[in-house]
Amino acid sequence: MSTQSVDPRTGIAFGPVIPDTTSTQLREFCDDAAQAAQPWGDLLREERARMLRAVADALDAAGGDLIPLADSESALGLPRLTGELARTTFQIRTFADALDDGSYLGVIIDPADSRPVPVGHPDLRRMLVPLGPVAVYGASNFPFAFSVAGGDTASALAAGCPVVVKAHPAHPQLSDAVLECMRDALAAAGAPSGVISIVHGFIAGAELIVDPAIRAGAFTGSGRGGHALFTLAAGRTDPIPFYGELGSVNPVFVTSSAATRDNLAAEYLDSLLLGGGQFCSNPSVLVVPSDSGLLASIVEQVSARPDAVLLHEGVAHLFAATSTQLASIHGVRLAAGALGPAGTAGFTQSPLIFAVAAADVITDPSLLSIECFGPAGVVIEYASTDEAMAVARLVPGCLAATIHSDDTDPLAASLLPVLARRAGRVIWNGWPTGVAVTSAQQHGGPHPATTNSLHTSVGTTAMRRFLRPVAYQSFPQALLPTELRTTE
């Protein structure tokens, strides 16, 4: 088997054919990662930080070649991809800053206490240490920020873990080009060989997560693919953690106190259709008062929005299937747009707006579990605050949930604790698209949005996914890790 790049604008294949990675090659890459694990993990924090900054500098310097290549494989456009590469290298440098700070290690030093037990105890010193090689599965919708050089890779490398990347078939040439850039930069900076490798192909992706050298997995993509890999990771004779981000409907609730705000409909469409609606933080469900007129305003404005270019053929097929599934649910009607491709070249799609009464959703909440990945949104109209609350209680685990309201509105106060139990990030008078890379970020929520809601895939605490605690008891200073030593 092999992979070839396809231009989403035309559907035409181009560029060299990239063969799938063989089982023998995969084993070599994983063995190399295992050999690199100790020297990479044992580097001083400042050394690893220096090497990460060298990678970021190299990617920035190669942007003139990488960005057009990314556009040819994704059709996301040069402005968007320029910003995404900048976000990616900023993220790498942010993890380097976290290494300089060192607090991510969670160091706790509890000196010996000679008093009788239970108060007395031996000298105990605790810190987080790297897990070992990590399998990272690239996503199609962010060819830089959630792919070979993305947050999963950057956080694993920062934590001291080598990485084997499974390239996404939507951008194989870019994946190889980014990998080569990173590998060259790491080698020039003095990193051990085997710190980062790449594999291609469906079979290689399945074999990677069960390879004995791999100690954790990170994935952004479809629920079906993520669950399959999660099952493989959990079914090993030595189960390993698997951090899968699987998608989300990210509901937005608008109360009557906010429903008449200027530009609310336009802001919703801006967020919904950003990147062709192909963001995991896409606000695909909007819950509004039935007498607000918001639905009519959205329907009126969406006709002026351009068609979206879907990322690849797989997304086009999935969008067609899920939009048809939404349209078949009792009470759901297509308020704007037309099912099926809007254009004849490539994978294009006009925006779709579905509408449904909250009473129908309460009777059949299945649409709340359907992520229509692409330019489609569902507007749920509620006739009372009780209906709005009932819908909120039916929302499954999601990455983000939003409230548009005034701070004195009692519905907002009631919605917040309900949504906070269902989302990793709750937003006030804003929109879920645009996930800031910062230490306080939480990009991850309860299942089915992710396979593990305890961690984030964005922000500096993403490093914790690839670290485990070790307590050292009664060791002499000279034998302790440098971070646990104290001066007498």
Side-chain angles (χ1 to χ4, degrees), residues 90 171 270 310 314 360 416:
F90 168 80
H171 43 259
D270 288 345
L310 301 181
D360 289 323
L416 179 57

Side-chain angles (χ1 to χ4, degrees), residues 264-279:
L264 196 61
E267 290 175 4
Y268 169 67
L269 290 173
D270 288 345
S271 183
L272 176 72
L273 303 177
L274 188 64
Q278 298 164 113
F279 283 8

Side-chain angles (χ1 to χ4, degrees), residues 17-186:
V17 174
I18 298 177
D20 288 357
T21 303
T22 67
S23 298
T24 300
Q25 289 171 327
L26 184 141
R27 278 266 63 232
E28 291 175 354
F29 293 147
C30 291
D31 285 346
D32 289 345
Q35 291 294 320
Q38 183 168 343
W40 178 251
D42 285 349
L43 284 174
L44 296 176
R45 289 185 285 108
E46 54 266 31
E47 277 296 288
R48 211 154 57 237
R50 177 182 63 81
M51 294 175 184
L52 287 178
R53 292 188 177 101
V55 168
D57 291 344
L59 290 170
D60 281 338
D65 294 324
L66 296 177
I67 292 169
L69 180 56
D71 184 50
S72 67
E73 291 185 311
S74 70
L76 290 173
L78 299 182
R80 148 72 196 274
L81 290 165
T82 299
E84 188 185 328
L85 178 57
R87 170 204 167 123
T88 302
T89 55
F90 168 80
Q91 187 166 242
I92 294 171
R93 293 185 179 99
T94 298
F95 283 114
D97 292 343
L99 285 171
D100 288 339
D101 174 71
S103 60
Y104 75 94
L105 290 169
V107 170
I108 301 174
I109 296 177
D110 193 358
D113 191 322
S114 60
R115 289 176 291 176
V117 293
V119 176
H121 59 79
D123 184 278
L124 284 165
R125 305 181 183 218
R126 184 183 193 269
M127 65 179 291
L128 300 177
V129 302
L131 284 177
V134 172
V136 169
Y137 293 79
S140 65
N141 57 335
F142 283 88
F144 289 119
F146 281 87
S147 192
V148 176
D152 289 337
T153 297
S155 58
L157 291 176
C161 300
V163 171
V164 181
V165 179
K166 162 57 175 68
H168 196 283
H171 43 259
Q173 289 188 70
L174 177 69
S175 296
D176 277 358
V178 170
L179 188 283
E180 183 178 0
C181 183
M182 295 179 70
R183 181 181 283 162
D184 289 348
L186 285 166

Side-chain angles (χ1 to χ4, degrees), residues 251 253 392 395 398 401-403 414-424 426:
F253 286 77
V395 170
C398 53
T402 301
I403 300 172
S414 298
L415 284 169
L416 179 57
V418 174
L419 296 178
R421 287 193 292 271
R422 287 159 173 77
V426 285

